[in-house]
Amino acid sequence: MLNNRRKIEAVFIDRDGTIGGDNTVHYPGDFELFSFSKELIRKLKSDGIKVFSFTNQPGISAGKATISDFIVELNGFGFDDIFICPHSYSEGCHCRKPNIGMLRSGAEKHNVRLENCIVIGDRWSDMQAASAANCIKILVKTGAGYSTLNEHYEKIEDIDIEYVAENLKDAIEWLYLQYEI
């Protein structure tokens, strides 16, 4: 029985700590995808759900990698589209999470309603962005997830996170149980 009759239009998934890696940034070529991530992306897409990567990558503005490095890598993982903030925190851009610029760009480009989108991430900034955009929020405990729940809890305590998942696999399983796909 579905608990929510809303039709999910898209899923925005964070990169570092959510689809692979750990609680630090690993640049393309050094990033290890979790064994189940690519298949989960493929499953969502085969069921008609758009799947987008949205990621803060300040190493780009610091010259440690290029946007094209990330795009090539993330395209290889199967995402329908990729939204990257290349700015450092100090640049004050509108796209860097916890701002909603990447979510808004994805919604406009692909004609989806953010209230019918899910955000899956491991950091407080993912959850704040999702909340500000009125998206469904799933926090994973991988990557910085435990830190978000413990050391940075004050940054998410007023956010109604729909589900706290062990990992991306658990998040996607919950999504299929709760929403119309």
Side-chain angles (χ1 to χ4, degrees):
M1 179 74 182
L2 296 172
N3 292 334
N4 192 318
R5 301 308 284 181
R6 254 193 298 193
K7 174 88 171 125
I8 300 303
E9 297 180 53
V11 178
F12 289 83
I13 306 175
D14 174 58
R15 179 185 180 265
D16 300 293
T18 303
I19 62 167
D22 51 33
N23 64 346
T24 60
V25 174
H26 295 272
Y27 294 104
D30 191 35
F31 182 78
E32 290 187 35
L33 193 66
F34 296 141
S35 61
F36 45 76
S37 295
K38 204 170 189 177
E39 181 57 37
L40 292 169
I41 292 167
R42 189 175 305 124
K43 177 170 179 37
L44 287 167
K45 288 174 59 171
S46 71
D47 288 333
I49 303 296
K50 295 174 183 167
V51 185
F52 309 133
S53 173
F54 83 127
T55 181
N56 288 344
Q57 294 299 335
I60 293 169
S61 65
K64 296 178 181 176
T66 66
I67 286 180
S68 63
D69 292 335
F70 283 97
I71 289 173
V72 167
E73 175 196 72
L74 292 164
N75 274 330
F77 298 156
F79 287 100
D80 288 308
D81 207 343
I82 297 151
F83 300 92
I84 299 172
C85 172
H87 308 106
S88 70
Y89 175 76
S90 63
E91 291 179 74
C93 66
H94 74 282
C95 55
R96 184 176 175 81
K97 297 179 273 183
N99 296 321
I100 65 170
M102 289 185 283
L103 295 171
R104 186 175 287 137
S105 292
E108 289 171 2
K109 182 176 180 182
H110 293 278
N111 196 31
V112 296
R113 294 175 304 253
L114 287 172
E115 64 270 14
N116 292 334
C117 294
I118 292 182
V119 168
I120 303 174
D122 66 322
R123 296 185 180 272
W124 62 267
S125 56
D126 298 319
M127 297 300 102
Q128 282 188 357
S131 181
N134 198 28
C135 295
I136 299 159
K137 300 154 290 303
I138 301 176
L139 177 71
V140 293
K141 293 181 183 178
T142 52
Y146 281 106
S147 173
T148 296
L149 288 168
N150 297 300
E151 298 162 32
H152 300 289
Y153 183 74
E154 74 282 354
K155 294 180 178 182
I156 62 166
E157 66 184 331
D158 294 331
I159 297 173
D160 182 23
I161 296 172
E162 281 78 4
Y163 188 62
V164 176
E166 291 299 317
N167 55 35
L168 182 63
K169 186 174 190 244
D170 182 29
I172 300 300
E173 288 171 357
W174 179 84
L175 181 157
Y176 274 88
L177 290 173
Q178 299 298 315
Y179 293 94
E180 185 177 338
I181 302 296

